[in-house]
């Protein structure tokens, strides 16, 4: 999932602790993080989920969504075929 945030940084920072706590408690979460400060505000989140609708449900309950600080979301299915982390990421 790729998030792009709104320009409402104050609201996002207020919601950030709840957002992080929410993500940390998700068993489906593989890794998540914000883009570097030199990039547009947003982040990348990788989940193990049955399908895109399962990821959409995760998004819908995210405190960032509830706070209205997500401007755009892209949910994409990804299967990493190569690299030293591929097996660890795709294991079930």
């Amino acid at each position: 999932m790729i998030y792009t945030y709104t320009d409402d940084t104050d609201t996002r920072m207020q919601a950030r602790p709840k957002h992080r706590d929410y993500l940390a408690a998700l068993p489906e979460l593989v890794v998540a993080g914000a883009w570097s400060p030199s990039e547009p505000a947003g982040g990348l989140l990788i989940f193990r989920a049955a399908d895109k609708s399962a990821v959409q449900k995760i998004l819908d309950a995210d405190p960032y969504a509830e706070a209205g600080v997500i401007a755009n979301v892209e949910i994409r299915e990804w299967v990493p075929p190569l690299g030293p982390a591929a097996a660890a990421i795709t294991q079930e």
Side-chain angles (χ1 to χ4, degrees):
M1 178 185 325
I2 300 169
Y3 278 168
T4 303
Y5 302 136
T6 67
D7 293 334
D8 189 352
T9 304
D10 290 340
T11 300
R12 183 165 36 94
M13 289 300 107
Q14 289 173 3
R16 190 177 192 191
K18 288 182 181 179
H19 164 75
R20 286 184 164 192
D21 289 347
Y22 171 73
L23 292 178
L26 292 172
E28 301 90 347
L29 182 67
V30 175
V31 67
W35 303 125
S36 75
S38 64
E39 297 291 332
L44 174 68
L45 303 92
I46 299 176
F47 298 97
R48 277 194 201 98
D51 53 32
K52 289 182 181 183
S53 66
V55 176
Q56 183 65 52
K57 288 178 184 176
I58 292 169
L59 163 66
D60 292 343
D62 188 330
Y64 272 4
E66 294 171 1
V69 298
I70 301 171
N72 188 53
V73 176
E74 293 181 51
I75 299 173
R76 299 182 184 187
E77 186 174 355
W78 180 58
V79 181
L82 299 173
I89 291 171
T90 58
Q91 76 181 9
E92 306 215 6

